[in-house]
Amino acid sequence: MNVSQPAAPPPPAELIAKFRKIVGDKYAMTDTADIAPYVTEERDLFHGRSPLVLRPGSTAEVSAICKLANEHRIALVPQGGNTGLVGGQTPHHGEVVVSLRRLDRIRDVDTASNTMTCEAGVILQVAQQRAAEVDRLFPLSLGAEGSCTIGGNLSTNAGGTTALAYGVAREMALGVEVVLADGRVLNLLSKLKKDNTGYDLRNLFIGAEGTLGIVTAATLRLFPKPRAIETAFVGLALPAQALKLLQISQGLAAGTLTSFELLSEISVDFSIRHGIDVRDPLQGKHRWYVLMELSSPRDDARDTLEAILTKGLDHGIVDDAVIAASLSQRQAFWKLRDEMSAAQKPEGGSIKHDISVPVAAVPDFIAAADAAVVKLIPGARPVPFGHLGDGNIHYNVSQPVGADGADFLGRWHEVNAVVFDIVLRMGGSISAEHGIGVLKRDELPDVKDKTAIALMRQIKAMLDPNGIMNPGKVL
Amino acid sequence: MNVSQPAAPPPPAELIAKFRKIVGDKYAMTDTADIAPYVTEERDLFHGRSPLVLRPGSTAEVSAICKLANEHRIALVPQGGNTGLVGGQTPHHGEVVVSLRRLDRIRDVDTASNTMTCEAGVILQVAQQRAAEVDRLFPLSLGAEGSCTIGGNLSTNAGGTTALAYGVAREMALGVEVVLADGRVLNLLSKLKKDNTGYDLRNLFIGAEGTLGIVTAATLRLFPKPRAIETAFVGLALPAQALKLLQISQGLAAGTLTSFELLSEISVDFSIRHGIDVRDPLQGKHRWYVLMELSSPRDDARDTLEAILTKGLDHGIVDDAVIAASLSQRQAFWKLRDEMSAAQKPEGGSIKHDISVPVAAVPDFIAAADAAVVKLIPGARPVPFGHLGDGNIHYNVSQPVGADGADFLGRWHEVNAVVFDIVLRMGGSISAEHGIGVLKRDELPDVKDKTAIALMRQIKAMLDPNGIMNPGKVL
C-alpha cells in the first residue's frame, strides 16, 4: 500500500553515530537485513524503509533519543511487537525506528493493590502469565498476544475479546510513563484508582499511536482470577436474536459475562474449511452463531449459563446450543473464532472494516451494509463477525468467487465509503479497536467532528512542534 | 476562606444586556437576593460574589454566552448543583456564574445499547431513577446525589461508594458534549464502547473542573440492575485485617463486591452520637469496622457474603459481623455511614483530607498519619473513614476536646503539609475524588510531576487563551 507523506531526510552519518552512542553499537542497526523485520509486517500490506533501527534499553535512553531527534528534526517511528493492522508502526518514508522491545521489565507486582507495572516492551502474554502466577487476571486478550507488547496495546488502545467485561486497554491502565518529543519524561505512573489532581493527561497518550510521545511503562490493573469459566456455542437465526440473547445474558450474568461474539455462517464456514483442526461444534447449520463465555469467581457459572440458554430456548431465540464439556472443547470453540481472520485469505481478496455502532444498531447495520456492498459489487461476500457486546463488528468483505483479487482490492476505498456511510449514519466509528495509523488517516477528517479534528491538530502541534513523533500517522 | 486571585472587572451594563438577551430576562439575575444561592455553598466555607447569574436553557445559549464572554474577556464560572467541596463552583472574584441547571433533559435512553444521554443539569438522583425505571442501574452514588448534577459529576470526576465495582464518573461516560471557551461546540457524544479514531479528547474535559470548557451533555453507561443486594457490618481490630478481608472478598465476589468501606471507631461513635436515628449494628465495640455490600444479578449474593464472612471469622480476621436482614436494616447501616461527615461538625473544628494511596498502603498510611498529626497537635483526633477498596480515605482530623475551634482551623495548612507528605511518600494523591478547585490549588505544584504541571498549563492556554473559563481554579 502506498502512503503519501513527505519523505524524511536520512540522518547524516555523524548523527547516526550519536544515536548509536546512546544505545550502544549492538542495539543500533543500519544493515538492511537486520532492519528488514522492523520495516515490513506480517500481512505484507505495508512496506517501509529506514536508515536506522534503535533498540534502547531504558527510559533514559528513549529520552536521549527523542531529545537528539528533536534538536535535529529527525522523524521517529516508535514500535512495539510490530503487529498493528493500520500501518502505524511502519516507517513509510525513511524514519528512524525506535523499537521498545528491550524495555521488557515487569517493575512491580502488587497483589494487595491489584496492580502491575510493566515496561512498554513486555509481551502481552508475558504480562498475562505473570498475573496468573500471583493468582490474578490481566484480562486484555487478542489474537497477537504472543508477540504484541504492552506499549503497543496502550498506544493503540487495544480491544479484544474481553472488553465486554473488563473494558479496552485504556481502562486497564492506571498510569503511564511517557517520553515527550523533546525528551522530557512525563511520569504519570500511579497505583491509584482515584486521583483528581488536575487534567487527565494519561488518556491523551493512550490511543495516540505514538504521535504525541512514546509510552515507556504503565501501571496496569489486575483482577481476581476467575475460578470457573464456562463457554457455549449457540446457533440462531438472526443478529436480532443474538441481541436479545445478549440482553438476557447481561441480565443474568452481569459482569461475569466476559465474551459475547457474533459469528456469521460464512465466517464459521471459512474457519472450518481453511483452519487446521477446526470443527463445527453443532450438528446442523445455522445462519448465525454466538460464542459466549462466563467467568466467575465462584462455581455458579455453569448454572448461570444453563439458565441463560434455557431462557433463550424457551423464548425461541436460541435454535441450538452446546456448552463446552472440557477445557479442550472450550479451546476448540475459541480456535474456530481465532482462525477466522486467517481463514479469509484462501478465499481471495478481503476488504476489511473494524467498525463499531451502538449495540442496539448492530442488526440494522449488518443488514444495511450487506445490501449496499452486494449492490456495489454483485457477488461480493460479506463475512461479518465480532464483539457484539461492544457493538464492534469486523465487517470484512471477501471477493466474489472467481473474481480477480487485485481488481477487487482496487475497490477498497469504494467499499469503505459505502460501509462508513452506514456506520456514520448510525452514530458509529470507522475504527473501533485497530486505530487510524495511515490506513484510515485520509478518511478521518470526513468522519470526525470538525472541532475535534481542530483540537487534535492543536494538541499535536503543542506536544510535538517539530513533527518528529510518528509523522503522517493519525493526522 | 480567602482566595487570592485577581478580581475580574464587572461587565459593563450594555454587555449585561447582551448576556440577558441570550437567555431571556427571566434567566439573567442581577439582584443580590436572587444571586445569593449561587455564590455561597452549603458548608459556608466559601463566599463568592457575582454581578450576574445566567441560566441558559440550551447548548446553543451556552455557546452564545461563551462566545460573547470570550470576545469581551469576561470570566465565567460554570455551576451545576453547587455541592462541590473545594470551591470550584464559586465566583470568588466577581465572575459571571453560568448555571447549567436548566439543561435538564434526558435526551435518550437506549436499553439495548445500555446508554443514557443526559444534559449537564440533570440531577444525579433523577438519572439514577430514570435508569431504574427501565430496569437498569446507573451506579454513580454519593452523598449529594439529591442535588448534584451530571455535568458537575463529570467536571469533578466524582467517585462515591460504588467506584470499587463500577469505576469513577470518568469511566461511566462514553461521550460528552462540551462548549469551548470561544463558543465552539465539541460534539463527542457517543454510544460506543470502542472508538479508536484519534486522540481521547473526552477525558481532557472530564475532571477539568470547568477550566477548559463547559460540559453540556454526556452519554452515560447503564448496567444490569442487580437482583440481590446483601450488606454486612463487620467489626475487626486493625486496618490490616480489613485489607485481608478485602482480598478474600474480591477473590470470592469479584465484580459483585460493590462497596467496601473502612470506618474507624471514632467515626462510628460520632455518627451514633450526633446522627439522628443512627444505631450501632453490633453489640460490642470494635477498633475498626467495615461496611461491605454485594450486588448480584442472581440470588447468590447471600451465599457469597456468608462464605466471605465465614472465611474471615475462621482466619481470625473478623471479630464480629451482622448481615442486614431487611431493606430497612440495610438502609440503617448506610445511614451510619452517610451521617459520618455531618457528625463531625458538633465535635468542633475539623481539618479534612480526601486522599488516596495504593490499596496495600492504607494501613501504613493511617498509622503514620495518626502519629504525625498527634505529634503536631497533641490531643487532635484523627477520624479516618472511606473507600478502602479504592485506597481512598477521608482522613479528617477533629480538634482536641475543649480546644479553640478557630485556633485549630488556623493550622489547616500545617496539618495538610504533614498528611500530604506521607501521602506523597506512599505514591498517593492529595485529592482522590473532590478535585482541586481553589482549596488545593496552591499545593498542586508541589505534589504533581513538574512536566505534568507544565503540560496542564499549555493545555489551559491552548483551550482558553483569554483565561475566561473558571479562572483561578485548578491552576
Side-chain angles (χ1 to χ4, degrees):
Chain A
M1 185 166 282
N2 283 322
V3 176
S4 69
Q5 180 184 315
E14 67 271 22
L15 207 53
I16 289 186
K18 280 186 185 173
F19 279 121
R20 186 184 292 278
K21 203 170 164 201
I22 292 170
V23 295
D25 277 345
K26 191 173 166 193
Y27 300 114
M29 300 180 296
T30 51
D31 186 84
T32 310
D34 294 339
I35 283 177
Y38 299 89
V39 299
T40 55
E41 40 91 55
E42 210 184 347
R43 297 162 314 162
D44 220 22
L45 184 60
F46 296 107
H47 301 266
R49 56 186 178 81
S50 174
L52 178 65
V53 172
L54 299 170
R55 303 185 64 214
S58 67
T59 301
E61 289 183 10
V62 176
S63 166
I65 290 168
C66 290
K67 190 168 184 293
L68 186 62
N70 194 47
E71 282 165 7
H72 295 273
R73 312 291 193 263
I74 302 298
L76 303 176
V77 175
Q79 191 179 93
N82 192 14
T83 61
L85 298 173
V86 292
Q89 78 279 20
T90 306
H92 297 285
H93 291 278
E95 301 91 339
V96 172
V97 173
V98 182
S99 166
L100 281 303
R101 287 290 307 282
R102 284 183 62 229
L103 271 71
D104 62 355
R105 276 195 314 140
I106 295 180
R107 291 187 191 167
D108 178 71
V109 180
D110 180 344
T111 54
S113 302
N114 279 319
T115 62
M116 175 164 68
T117 304
C118 291
E119 291 184 344
V122 171
I123 303 283
L124 173 53
Q125 205 166 60
V126 172
Q128 293 167 346
Q129 283 164 356
R130 187 76 186 88
E133 282 165 23
V134 294
D135 199 34
R136 294 291 184 277
L137 174 74
F138 181 62
L140 188 66
S141 177
L142 50 133
E145 63 196 24
S147 44
C148 66
T149 61
I150 294 298
N153 295 151
L154 291 175
S155 292
T156 59
N157 187 25
T161 52
T162 61
L164 180 58
Y166 300 101
V168 292
R170 183 185 300 291
E171 292 159 278
M172 288 177 205
L174 292 169
V176 289
E177 177 188 87
V178 181
V179 175
L180 301 179
D182 60 9
R184 279 181 299 168
V185 179
L186 179 64
N187 183 354
L188 303 172
L189 291 176
S190 160
K191 294 184 179 183
L192 308 176
K193 268 190 74 172
K194 290 185 177 175
D195 180 11
N196 276 345
T197 52
Y199 307 154
D200 183 75
L201 302 173
R202 165 191 56 171
N203 279 302
L204 211 46
F205 298 95
I206 297 175
E209 304 185 33
T211 62
L212 300 180
I214 300 180
V215 174
T216 48
T219 311
L220 305 170
R221 293 175 67 191
L222 298 178
F223 294 80
K225 199 185 203 168
R227 304 290 154 207
I229 299 177
E230 296 288 346
T231 312
F233 200 82
V234 179
L236 33 70
L238 289 166
Q241 308 287 59
L243 188 60
K244 283 181 193 160
L245 185 63
L246 173 65
Q247 289 187 273
I248 291 171
S249 303
Q250 289 182 317
L252 290 171
T256 62
L257 180 70
T258 40
S259 291
F260 199 96
E261 304 281 301
L262 177 68
L263 315 172
S264 59
E265 183 179 14
I266 190 172
S267 72
V268 170
D269 282 351
F270 283 4
S271 194
I272 292 169
R273 193 179 309 161
H274 303 294
I276 296 160
D277 283 336
V278 174
R279 278 178 299 276
D280 192 339
L282 296 174
Q283 295 296 326
K285 285 277 176 195
H286 300 269
R287 295 292 306 279
W288 291 88
Y289 298 89
V290 164
L291 172 58
M292 60 185 289
E293 191 161 280
L294 271 60
S295 310
S296 171
R298 303 196 68 223
D299 55 5
D300 57 348
R302 179 73 182 221
D303 286 354
T304 308
L305 183 53
E306 283 175 1
I308 290 166
L309 296 175
T310 302
K311 200 166 173 182
L313 286 159
D314 289 351
H315 285 61
I317 293 164
V318 168
D319 293 330
D320 195 7
V322 56
I323 297 178
S326 64
L327 175 62
S328 67
Q329 209 173 357
R330 168 151 67 92
Q331 287 167 338
F333 289 6
W334 277 105
K335 192 165 192 334
L336 186 152
R337 167 68 183 83
D338 292 339
E339 294 278 324
M340 213 150 261
S341 293
Q344 287 160 46
K345 214 163 188 177
E347 294 288 334
S350 171
I351 297 175
K352 298 180 189 297
H353 307 85
D354 162 44
I355 67 92
S356 68
V357 292
V359 175
V362 169
D364 287 348
F365 163 75
I366 292 174
D370 282 0
V373 163
V374 172
K375 190 179 165 204
L376 180 71
I377 305 182
R381 295 170 294 165
V383 188
F385 66 99
H387 321 296
L388 179 60
D390 306 316
N392 175 197
I393 301 296
H394 299 299
Y395 189 81
N396 297 347
V397 182
S398 281
Q399 64 172 67
V401 175
D404 182 85
D407 281 357
F408 178 74
L409 290 176
R411 303 185 71 177
W412 188 290
H413 289 291
E414 232 181 307
V415 176
N416 280 179
V418 158
V419 172
F420 291 163
D421 251 13
I422 299 165
V423 167
L424 295 177
R425 196 166 5 107
M426 293 181 170
S429 165
I430 66 162
S431 183
E433 56 177 12
H434 295 166
I436 296 297
V438 292
L439 188 66
K440 299 178 188 170
R441 184 193 62 191
D442 297 335
E443 273 95 359
L444 193 62
D446 297 331
V447 305
K448 192 100 180 166
D449 181 85
K450 297 284 169 273
T451 307
I453 291 277
L455 285 193
M456 282 171 59
R457 289 191 194 284
Q458 279 187 280
I459 289 169
K460 171 71 177 176
M462 182 188 99
L463 284 167
D464 181 21
N466 297 325
I468 65 157
M469 299 303 302
N470 217 1
K473 313 295 167 59
V474 184
L475 286 169
Chain B
M1 187 167 280
N2 281 322
V3 177
S4 67
Q5 181 183 318
E14 67 271 22
L15 206 52
I16 288 184
K18 282 187 184 173
F19 279 122
R20 187 183 292 276
K21 203 169 165 202
I22 292 170
V23 295
D25 278 345
K26 192 173 164 192
Y27 299 114
M29 301 181 295
T30 50
D31 185 85
T32 310
D34 293 340
I35 283 177
Y38 298 88
V39 299
T40 55
E41 39 92 57
E42 209 184 347
R43 294 163 314 159
D44 218 24
L45 184 60
F46 295 106
H47 301 267
R49 58 188 178 77
S50 174
L52 179 63
V53 172
L54 299 171
R55 302 185 64 216
S58 66
T59 301
E61 289 182 11
V62 176
S63 166
I65 290 168
C66 290
K67 191 166 183 293
L68 186 62
N70 195 48
E71 282 165 8
H72 296 273
R73 313 289 194 264
I74 302 297
L76 303 176
V77 175
Q79 190 178 95
N82 192 13
T83 60
L85 298 173
V86 293
Q89 78 279 21
T90 306
H92 297 286
H93 291 277
E95 300 91 338
V96 172
V97 173
V98 182
S99 167
L100 281 303
R101 287 290 308 281
R102 285 183 61 229
L103 271 72
D104 62 356
R105 277 194 316 140
I106 295 179
R107 292 187 191 167
D108 178 70
V109 180
D110 180 344
T111 55
S113 302
N114 279 320
T115 62
M116 175 165 67
T117 304
C118 291
E119 292 183 345
V122 172
I123 303 283
L124 173 53
Q125 205 164 61
V126 172
Q128 292 167 347
Q129 283 162 357
R130 187 77 185 89
E133 282 165 23
V134 294
D135 198 35
R136 293 291 183 277
L137 173 74
F138 181 63
L140 189 66
S141 177
L142 48 132
E145 63 196 26
S147 43
C148 66
T149 61
I150 294 298
N153 295 150
L154 291 176
S155 293
T156 59
N157 186 26
T161 52
T162 60
L164 180 58
Y166 300 101
V168 293
R170 183 186 301 290
E171 292 158 277
M172 288 176 205
L174 292 169
V176 291
E177 178 189 87
V178 181
V179 175
L180 301 178
D182 60 10
R184 279 181 298 167
V185 179
L186 179 64
N187 183 354
L188 304 172
L189 292 176
S190 161
K191 294 183 178 183
L192 307 175
K193 268 191 74 174
K194 289 184 176 176
D195 180 10
N196 277 345
T197 53
Y199 306 154
D200 182 76
L201 301 172
R202 162 190 58 169
N203 279 301
L204 211 46
F205 297 96
I206 298 175
E209 303 184 33
T211 62
L212 300 180
I214 299 181
V215 174
T216 48
T219 311
L220 305 171
R221 294 175 67 190
L222 298 178
F223 294 81
K225 199 183 202 169
R227 304 290 155 205
I229 298 178
E230 297 287 347
T231 313
F233 200 83
V234 178
L236 33 71
L238 290 166
Q241 308 286 61
L243 188 59
K244 283 181 193 162
L245 185 64
L246 173 67
Q247 290 187 271
I248 291 170
S249 304
Q250 288 181 318
L252 289 170
T256 62
L257 179 69
T258 41
S259 291
F260 199 96
E261 303 282 300
L262 176 68
L263 315 172
S264 59
E265 183 178 15
I266 190 172
S267 72
V268 171
D269 282 352
F270 283 5
S271 192
I272 292 170
R273 193 181 306 163
H274 303 295
I276 295 158
D277 283 335
V278 175
R279 277 177 301 276
D280 192 339
L282 295 174
Q283 295 295 326
K285 286 280 177 192
H286 299 269
R287 294 294 305 281
W288 291 88
Y289 298 89
V290 164
L291 173 60
M292 60 186 289
E293 191 160 279
L294 272 59
S295 310
S296 172
R298 307 196 64 225
D299 55 5
D300 57 347
R302 180 72 181 222
D303 285 354
T304 308
L305 184 53
E306 283 175 2
I308 290 167
L309 296 175
T310 302
K311 198 165 173 182
L313 286 160
D314 288 350
H315 285 61
I317 292 164
V318 168
D319 293 331
D320 196 7
V322 55
I323 297 178
S326 64
L327 176 62
S328 67
Q329 207 173 359
R330 170 153 64 94
Q331 287 167 337
F333 290 5
W334 277 106
K335 191 164 191 337
L336 186 152
R337 166 69 182 83
D338 292 339
E339 294 277 326
M340 214 152 260
S341 293
Q344 286 159 47
K345 212 163 188 178
E347 294 287 333
S350 171
I351 296 174
K352 297 180 190 297
H353 307 85
D354 162 44
I355 66 93
S356 68
V357 291
V359 175
V362 169
D364 286 348
F365 163 75
I366 292 174
D370 283 0
V373 163
V374 172
K375 190 180 164 203
L376 181 73
I377 305 181
R381 294 170 295 165
V383 189
F385 65 99
H387 321 296
L388 178 61
D390 306 316
N392 175 198
I393 301 297
H394 299 298
Y395 189 81
N396 297 346
V397 183
S398 281
Q399 64 172 69
V401 176
D404 181 86
D407 281 357
F408 178 74
L409 290 177
R411 304 187 69 177
W412 187 290
H413 289 291
E414 232 179 308
V415 175
N416 279 180
V418 159
V419 172
F420 291 164
D421 250 14
I422 299 164
V423 167
L424 295 176
R425 203 177 345 119
M426 293 180 170
S429 166
I430 67 163
S431 183
E433 58 178 9
H434 295 167
I436 297 296
V438 292
L439 188 65
K440 297 177 188 170
R441 183 193 61 192
D442 298 335
E443 273 95 1
L444 192 61
D446 297 331
V447 304
K448 193 101 179 166
D449 181 85
K450 298 282 169 274
T451 306
I453 291 278
L455 285 193
M456 283 172 58
R457 290 191 194 284
Q458 278 187 280
I459 289 170
K460 171 71 176 175
M462 182 189 99
L463 284 167
D464 181 21
N466 297 326
I468 65 158
M469 299 304 300
N470 216 2
K473 314 293 166 62
V474 184
L475 286 169

